[in-house]
Amino acid sequence: MMPMAPATSPYQLGNNSVRRIMLMVLAGLLPGIAAYAWVFGAIILVQLAIASVFALAGEALMLKARGKPLGLFLGDGSALVTAWLVVLAFPPLAPWWLTAVGALFAIVIAKQLYGGLGQNPFNPAMIAFAACIVAFPALMSTWPPVDLKAGFGVQLQAVFGLLPRVDAMNGATPLDALKTALKLNEGNASVPSLLANAEVFGHFAGRGWEWITAGYLLGGLWLWWRGIIRWQAPAAFLIGLIAISGGLWLWQPDAYASPLFHVFSGGSLLCAFFIVTDPVSGCTTPRGQLIFGFAAGILAYLIRVFGGYPDGVAFAVLLLNICAPLIDRYSQPAIFGLKGAK
């Protein structure tokens, strides 16, 4: 019998399993979730639990229908990552059934019907957000005010439909509030005056949202430091967002908010570190990730400022998901020995 090959080799195996990567991503989301709970209340933890249960249930049913082993795929953590991203994209006081529908749509329609993990061409969480905001625009566009003094019990009743949905518990995101104010006061109000006088705005972005997005930034930088994500897509997304918002802001500062406002508002930093870095629905080549991220940042700004939705992150990512295979094809590095070959 031939002796076994020695353990040492010219190759170094990484310690990156799907389960480990997904658990690291979940850990990276924790700073943003902690800030979210501090700003909007602990109801976000209930929403995370609801989404997680329905995502795992939907995954289990689809795996069983496809004849796949439940333990292997349910334990990889990918369904939980999708569920958490769905919750962080949805309003915190969304009805429980809306959170459940979003989680099930992301897992069943956007992931499993395409073949499961690694086969989905679109980001499942962004597909769920886009589908729900088109189907339920009123519920998906109303957010509780940051200064809402509602206890956990009241929030729990609101989520489970035991309280009427009153105006005091509904509001707009800072992005939507600024866009609406500019339309209502067209020609009579400037962005600096609106940001200084409206209670929904903080020091440089939305009040409370500055802390939430800072949590996403902290978690994202930690993932980059640990080698879970690469720097190309997040950096390019932020450069694209800052470039277009900064150009318009320098041109007409009374009509357009500063780049700092756009970076720390809405889902910008969540998208930069946790959405455009998706290795399945995004680009895989370093040059492709730069193109993908930069174009997503530009599109997100155009949709959020000139479109009809409160934030353009989801639709920008989905449009770029369509282009990802083409971008990868034309951004592949030259094969060694074939450079210059037709």
Side-chain angles (χ1 to χ4, degrees), residues 116-132:
L117 182 65
Q119 305 298 320
N120 50 286
F122 300 100
N123 186 282
M126 296 298 96
I127 281 282
F129 177 87
C132 287

Side-chain angles (χ1 to χ4, degrees), residues 107-171:
I107 296 297
V108 176
I109 305 297
K111 180 183 176 184
Q112 287 295 330
L113 287 186
Y114 282 101
L117 182 65
Q119 305 298 320
N120 50 286
F122 300 100
N123 186 282
M126 296 298 96
I127 281 282
F129 177 87
C132 287
I133 201 171
V134 170
F136 311 102
L139 292 175
M140 290 291 293
S141 302
T142 53
W143 295 67
V146 174
D147 57 355
L148 178 65
K149 304 300 182 182
F152 177 72
V154 175
Q155 291 184 333
L156 200 63
Q157 294 179 62
V159 166
F160 285 95
L162 302 178
L163 285 179
R165 304 190 70 84
V166 296
D167 291 341
M169 300 185 71
N170 297 323

Side-chain angles (χ1 to χ4, degrees), residues 105-106 110-111 114 120-134 237 271 275-276 278 281-282 292 295-297 299-300 303 309 311-325 327:
F105 196 95
K111 180 183 176 184
Y114 282 101
N120 50 286
F122 300 100
N123 186 282
M126 296 298 96
I127 281 282
F129 177 87
C132 287
I133 201 171
V134 170
F237 177 87
C271 177
I275 305 296
V276 297
D278 181 10
S281 59
F292 185 97
L299 280 176
I303 295 172
Y309 292 101
D311 200 348
V313 164
F315 294 99
V317 170
L318 294 176
L319 288 172
L320 265 298
N321 287 158
I322 299 175
C323 304
I327 296 173

Side-chain angles (χ1 to χ4, degrees), residues 240-251:
L241 180 62
I242 291 171
I244 187 171
S245 61
L248 291 174
W249 174 63
L250 292 173
W251 176 49

Side-chain angles (χ1 to χ4, degrees), residues 40-57:
F40 289 110
I43 194 64
I44 188 66
L45 304 179
V46 176
Q47 297 281 27
L48 289 172
I50 293 171
S52 299
V53 168
F54 278 91
L56 290 173

